[in-house]
Amino acid sequence: MRIGIIGAGNMAQALGGQWVRAGHEVAFGARDATRAAAAARRLGEGARALEHPAAAAGFGEAVLLAVPADRVEQVVAQAAPPGGRVLIDCTNPIAAGTLALTTAGGPSMAERIAAAAPGTHVVKAFNVCHESVWRLTPPVFDGHPLGVPLCGDDPAAVALVGRLVADLGAEPLPAGGLARAGLLEAATAFAIGLWFAGRDARAVLPPLAYAGGEG
């Protein structure tokens, strides 16, 4: 699969590197073309750099948006993928320091991206974990593959992103339409708060067998 990546930072390189190892072709496009070129060199064969974000947006069947949340809408306005493309949103609209959602009271970041890029199929994914987790090969903990929630309105787009999740050795977890992306963003902000406090966010949830009542 050809995958365009808008951005060349840690998340872009972590996910891009895994997809290159899985046999996909990845192209980076960033405001700083030098940084995009350096990212492609680090990943080696199967990765390339393009001259600007708009070129990456038009490169592949899927496009990963991996830029800081406060720049997302501006970047999408300048480099929206062509209609029909799958646009993967891995961003977290979380204010540094307070860990509050910058989108509180309004549409989720994923929904704002969909509004800024009409005709694309936006899927919220990969936003829960730190970039270092995506570098694990595979991300398996206590014998269980990492689950990756996916929110999107187009079943084919969700299935495509699910295949990219599986290529990392993780488990895709379809979690409903894009309207539920705000819940995923809020849950991530909540979990990050627990992690920063030195708490295990997994302790909040009971095992599946007990989720609806014992037995």
Side-chain angles (χ1 to χ4, degrees), residues 1-4 6 50 53-64 79-88 113-114 117-123 154 156-158 160-161:
M1 187 186 305
R2 287 160 58 98
I3 305 168
I6 300 176
L50 301 176
F59 175 76
E61 301 163 60
V63 179
L64 173 69
R85 299 292 170 87
V86 177
L87 180 55
I88 306 168
I113 291 169
T120 62
H121 303 303
V122 176
V123 178
D154 184 79
V158 172
L160 183 148
V161 179

Side-chain angles (χ1 to χ4, degrees), residues 70-102:
D70 60 358
R71 287 181 43 223
V72 163
E73 292 178 87
Q74 176 187 4
V75 169
V76 172
Q78 296 172 349
R85 299 292 170 87
V86 177
L87 180 55
I88 306 168
D89 167 29
C90 70
T91 66
N92 280 313
I94 300 174
T98 65
L99 298 182
L101 288 178
T102 59

Side-chain angles (χ1 to χ4, degrees), residues 15 21 27 35 43 49 53 60 89 95 119 124 126 140 149 166 191 194 198:
L15 290 168
R21 280 187 282 276
R35 194 176 185 192
L43 300 191
D89 167 29
K124 188 82 182 187
F126 303 110
V140 173
L194 290 175

